[in-house]
């Protein structure tokens, strides 16, 4: 039976990206060795990381003066690297979920942290509006897509300070006005690659301003100066990221990804709103195009488990919601197809007809 992958992360990648990576793992560039057993400094690998960097810059139209680097440690390591490198006295954080909170926790180790707004009281079911940022902060940190709760800030907001964003689960799904940010980071296993690499886009002249000593490996400048090759980078995940970026470019770039994301989300939210068994969990205007969360309506509560079993039996993978929201979550990253979303919709309709 055909499987439809709605996993939240690690998550679906385009089939050709997987196939091309698999081929290179068997034999890299026809050189008789695997991609897994060559030096990251070999003349064959350098063009891969160069191409990944160049494609990221091209696809997001990254202005001059920014660097793109590939690091280990996941987005979670960035939670401390951000304040280490950018927090001088005071930083502002928008608390839109567990990831935002974790980022805030690390920042408190380095300076004063202002929580500009929070939707914690409503289990993060909306993006707070109408807040202001103190103008004397070093940066405002936001989480553009709240993977767990299914809320998203899909536009680059206007604030009077520099922004830093965790875009782990929506980077490369839309055009981004990079000039508004001092730093953007994303754990790659949601929308770019397999687990093991984090992409960081940093404004060069925003670095080096903090008074503190930074351990070498945690200093963004170390990795920028060495082109992500200060130490051994995650070679295979970087290769896969490069393949995904090629795929995005070949499929029309981030504008096309954005259009497809809107089409997918429209189909699925329309069914969630129409189907008597289900409802969305998020304020409509803040609904994520990437992480689509829904629950069973209260009067059908006993159907939650049966629906999960029914859908799983029909090839739907990874639709169980995160434990802090419950219900269901269909992750619809770039690689998700209209066909996949339509398959889920027909499973929802069939289940409704049976009850
Ligand atoms: C998954 C996720 C993280 C954590 O990523 P790791 O790479 O596992 O550290 C951070 N932020 C967001 C928005 C995420 O979705």
């Amino acid at each position: 039976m055909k499987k439809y992958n709605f996993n939240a992360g690690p998550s679906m990648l385009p089939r050709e990206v997987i196939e091309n990576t698999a081929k290179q793992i068997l034999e890299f560039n026809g050189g008789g060795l695997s991609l897994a057993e060559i030096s990251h400094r070999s003349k064959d690998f350098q063009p891969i990381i160069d191409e990944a960097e160049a494609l990221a810059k091209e696809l997001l139209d990254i202005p001059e003066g920014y660097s793109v680097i590939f690091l280990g440690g996941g987005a979670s390591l960035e939670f401390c690297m951000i304040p280490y490198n950018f927090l001088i006295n005071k930083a502002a954080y928008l608390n839109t979920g567990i990831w935002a909170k974790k980022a805030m926790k690390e920042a408190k180790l380095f300076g004063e942290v202002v929580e500009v707004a929070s939707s914690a009281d409503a289990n993060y079911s909306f993006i707070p509006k109408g807040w202001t940022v103190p103008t004397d902060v070093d940066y405002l940190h936001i989480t553009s897509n709240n993977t767990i709760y299914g809320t998203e800030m899909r536009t680059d907001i206007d604030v009077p300070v520099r922004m830093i964003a965790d875009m782990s689960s929506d980077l490369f799904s839309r055009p981004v006005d990079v000039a508004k940010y001092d730093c953007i980071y994303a754990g790659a296993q949601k929308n770019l690659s397999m687990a093991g690499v984090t992409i960081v886009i940093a404004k060069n002249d925003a670095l080096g301003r903090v008074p503190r000593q930074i351990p070498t490996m945690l200093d963004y400048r170390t990795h920028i100066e060495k082109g992500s090759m200060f130490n051994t980078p995650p070679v295979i995940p970087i290769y896969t990221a490069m393949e995904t970026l090629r795929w995005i470019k070949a499929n029309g770039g981030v504008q096309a990804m954005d259009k497809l994301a809107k089409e997918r989300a429209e189909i699925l939210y329309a069914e969630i709103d129409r189907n008597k068994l289900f409802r969305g969990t998020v304020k409509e205007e803040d609904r994520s195009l990437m992480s689509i969360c829904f629950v069973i309506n209260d009067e059908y509560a006993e159907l939650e488990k049966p629906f999960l079993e029914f859908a799983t039996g029909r090839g739907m993978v990874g639709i169980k919601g995160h434990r802090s929201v419950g219900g269901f979550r269909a992750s619809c990253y770039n690689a998700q197809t209209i066909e996949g979303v339509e398959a889920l919709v027909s499973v929802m309709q069939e289940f409704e007809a049976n009850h």
Side-chain angles (χ1 to χ4, degrees):
M1 190 205 340
K2 182 160 179 166
K3 300 278 188 181
Y4 294 96
N5 185 354
F6 292 97
N7 280 324
S11 39
M12 184 178 181
L13 290 168
R15 190 64 206 169
E16 66 182 78
V17 168
I18 302 284
E19 281 169 3
N20 291 345
T21 302
K23 276 186 213 146
Q24 302 289 10
I25 290 176
L26 291 174
E27 185 179 357
F28 183 54
N29 279 359
L33 300 178
S34 165
L35 175 60
E37 52 186 10
I38 56 147
S39 166
H40 56 294
R41 300 190 194 282
S42 65
K43 66 170 188 352
D44 283 343
F45 188 70
Q46 188 63 48
I48 302 297
I49 197 161
D50 290 346
E51 186 176 342
E53 182 187 324
L55 281 169
K57 285 184 169 166
E58 180 187 339
L59 289 167
L60 289 177
D61 201 11
I62 298 177
E64 287 291 308
Y66 282 79
S67 297
V68 174
I69 48 175
F70 299 94
L71 306 177
S76 299
L77 182 60
E78 304 311 309
F79 295 162
C80 88
M81 282 181 75
I82 291 297
Y84 233 135
N85 285 268
F86 293 102
L87 203 171
I88 303 168
N89 296 307
K90 189 157 113 179
Y93 278 70
L94 180 62
N95 181 3
T96 53
I98 285 172
W99 298 120
K101 249 181 102 169
K102 287 187 174 178
M104 235 158 66
K105 176 173 179 249
E106 300 304 302
K108 285 175 184 162
L109 299 172
F110 299 90
E112 190 186 336
V113 171
V114 182
E115 182 185 85
V116 290
S118 167
S119 48
D121 288 349
N123 198 29
Y124 298 115
S125 57
F126 65 93
I127 303 281
K129 312 274 169 8
W131 40 270
T132 51
V133 202
T135 51
D136 61 344
V137 295
D138 300 314
Y139 60 83
L140 167 71
H141 181 282
I142 60 167
T143 312
S144 55
N145 186 58
N146 297 283
T147 324
I148 294 173
Y149 310 90
T151 62
E152 187 176 17
M153 300 166 79
R154 238 184 132 74
T155 52
D156 306 294
I157 56 173
D158 285 309
V159 282
V161 298
R162 305 291 304 158
M163 282 195 286
I164 292 182
D166 175 357
M167 296 198 184
S168 290
S169 50
D170 65 355
L171 188 61
F172 296 112
S173 77
R174 65 166 174 99
V176 175
D177 186 358
V178 175
K180 288 184 173 175
Y181 300 86
D182 275 354
C183 188
I184 293 168
Y185 61 94
Q189 71 276 18
K190 307 275 163 59
N191 204 17
L192 181 64
S193 184
M194 60 178 78
V197 67
T198 309
I199 184 167
V200 175
I201 302 163
K203 190 167 197 284
N204 299 328
D205 68 14
L207 292 166
R209 294 187 181 171
V210 293
R212 70 183 65 86
Q213 297 264 307
I214 306 174
T216 311
M217 272 295 283
L218 300 182
D219 190 331
Y220 287 122
R221 289 170 302 177
T222 304
H223 303 285
I224 291 170
E225 276 159 26
K226 299 287 180 189
S228 306
M229 296 272 199
F230 171 73
N231 69 327
T232 318
V235 171
I236 296 175
I238 290 172
Y239 181 84
T240 306
M242 187 280 291
E243 280 284 350
T244 303
L245 294 169
R246 273 187 188 169
W247 178 88
I248 294 172
K249 184 174 172 182
N251 285 277
V254 291
Q255 280 83 3
M257 295 299 119
D258 188 32
K259 185 162 169 279
L260 191 59
K262 285 174 180 148
E263 285 170 18
R264 282 187 310 250
E266 212 166 291
I267 294 169
L268 190 47
Y269 283 121
E271 178 59 17
I272 292 167
D273 293 340
R274 186 211 59 78
N275 194 309
K276 69 175 195 284
L277 303 179
F278 303 102
R279 67 181 152 84
T281 56
V282 160
K283 198 170 179 181
E284 250 181 81
E285 65 194 35
D286 298 324
R287 282 175 162 181
S288 168
L289 304 191
M290 300 279 104
S291 313
I292 299 180
C293 296
F294 55 104
V295 292
I296 290 260
N297 271 321
D298 298 341
E299 60 266 44
Y300 300 101
E302 78 285 356
L303 292 178
E304 175 158 336
K305 222 174 139 223
F307 176 69
L308 185 63
E309 280 162 13
F310 181 76
T312 306
R314 295 294 161 99
M316 305 298 132
V317 177
I319 60 161
K320 194 173 181 345
H322 189 275
R323 61 190 174 281
S324 51
V325 177
F328 310 98
R329 169 176 54 180
S331 298
C332 295
Y333 300 123
N334 283 345
Q336 189 59 261
T337 57
I338 298 286
E339 183 206 337
V341 171
E342 282 173 344
L344 177 56
V345 165
S346 57
V347 164
M348 291 163 76
Q349 290 175 349
E350 206 183 322
F351 192 74
E352 181 192 33
N354 295 345
H355 294 87

